[in-house]
Amino acid sequence: MLQPIGRDTMEEAHALLARGFPMRSRDFWKDGLQRQAAFHAMRDLGPIGQLLRVKGAPVGVILTMRSRRGGDDGATVTNLSSWYVDERYRLLAPRMLQQVLAEPADTFTDLTPSPPVTDMMERFGFVRRHDGGIVLPLPAAALRPGSGAAILGVDAADIGADVRRLIQDHLSLGCLACILRTGDGDLPLVFSTARRKGLPTARLVYATNGAAVRRNLGPISRFLLKNGAICLEYPANRGEVAAGGWFSGRSRPTFLRGAALAADVDHAYSEFVFLRI
């Protein structure tokens, strides 16, 4: 039986997540779920995830990070994250996922699947979007020219109200954001922040035009350096290269099921944002 994670079951969710992901503390999960719950409540997005119960005892958990594209009546996106089932009940895990996927949503994503979950994705109708990601040290990349592009503040940009709200949401959640002005127009960029091997790292979580990002890593790197980052991560496929960067085996592949997302990179409102991983 699945039970929504709510005020009365939040502590059980913290305990299960800390047990399933022992590299993260209980306080880590408490802070992350609090951020997600506050956002869900503000936008009336429903529960933040589900618990799996067997004979009344909580034995599994999955976070369902919901958001909308195009305003309050826009397409719904549910990002699946932090899925764990106690080993004794692993045979129930596929059924648990089936029930979660039966919930209404235009698009489901999974951006950090474990290797066992990766092997299951295609069986549940997911398609792979990226194989992993590129890691780019920023000091050297910042020396590159920018093909005539400029970095602007969000307030100076010509962007729609829906994208502006997405950016403001992420700024309030501790992300970085800017506008890349090119000959093709004003392109919004959003980055989550975390530490990788002790280094402050920015991860690209939203970009409408990935090719423009790759062409203009110089000015983007200078912006990120000014804001305290040392490295940049962005989604990529094997075989893609960036001068001075490398494809990271640490980055997990990303998957999507349902309607395609309009932006080339759309990891908005995900665990990179709420959990800051």
Side-chain angles (χ1 to χ4, degrees), residues 181-213:
R181 175 165 286 177
T182 72
D184 297 322
D186 289 350
L187 306 177
L189 305 179
V190 180
F191 305 87
S192 64
T193 58
R195 300 191 77 84
R196 301 282 187 267
K197 297 183 178 180
L199 298 176
T201 300
R203 180 183 179 93
L204 181 66
V205 295
Y206 187 83
T208 54
N209 187 328
V213 171

Side-chain angles (χ1 to χ4, degrees), residues 63-271:
L63 301 182
T64 50
M65 299 173 173
R66 294 188 177 94
S67 56
R68 296 188 182 94
R69 302 295 181 273
D72 291 334
D73 297 323
T76 56
V77 180
T78 298
N79 179 61
L80 307 178
S81 175
S82 313
W83 183 24
Y84 168 74
V85 178
D86 285 340
E87 186 172 358
R88 182 180 176 185
Y89 298 101
R90 292 283 163 82
L91 290 176
L92 298 176
R95 179 57 180 158
M96 179 184 184
L97 183 58
Q98 283 182 326
Q99 291 185 45
V100 170
L101 293 174
E103 297 176 4
D106 295 290
T107 304
F108 288 92
T109 60
D110 194 330
L111 307 179
T112 53
S114 65
V117 174
T118 297
D119 294 339
M120 296 172 57
M121 287 288 96
E122 289 186 359
R123 299 206 305 269
F124 285 92
F126 283 81
V127 296
R128 187 181 294 235
R129 290 199 77 191
H130 300 101
D131 294 328
I134 296 287
V135 176
L136 183 70
L138 293 174
L143 301 176
R144 301 181 193 179
S147 303
I151 298 293
L152 306 178
V154 175
D155 292 339
D158 181 18
I159 55 176
D162 296 333
V163 174
R164 190 176 296 277
R165 185 168 80 164
L166 181 147
I167 291 174
Q168 293 299 333
D169 283 346
H170 285 73
L171 288 173
S172 70
L173 289 163
C175 294
L176 301 173
C178 65
I179 301 299
L180 178 68
R181 175 165 286 177
T182 72
D184 297 322
D186 289 350
L187 306 177
L189 305 179
V190 180
F191 305 87
S192 64
T193 58
R195 300 191 77 84
R196 301 282 187 267
K197 297 183 178 180
L199 298 176
T201 300
R203 180 183 179 93
L204 181 66
V205 295
Y206 187 83
T208 54
N209 187 328
V213 171
R214 294 188 292 272
R215 287 195 303 268
N216 294 283
L217 288 170
I220 293 170
S221 297
R222 292 191 285 275
F223 164 78
L224 293 173
L225 277 172
K226 288 179 182 177
N227 284 275
I230 297 297
C231 294
L232 168 65
E233 291 186 6
Y234 61 88
N237 291 314
R238 293 187 184 277
E240 295 181 21
V241 295
W246 61 89
F247 184 86
S248 171
R250 178 188 180 281
S251 295
R252 302 301 308 153
T254 66
F255 289 89
L256 177 146
R257 168 175 146 153
L261 298 172
D264 284 353
V265 176
D266 190 343
H267 299 175
Y269 307 103
S270 68
E271 58 265 48

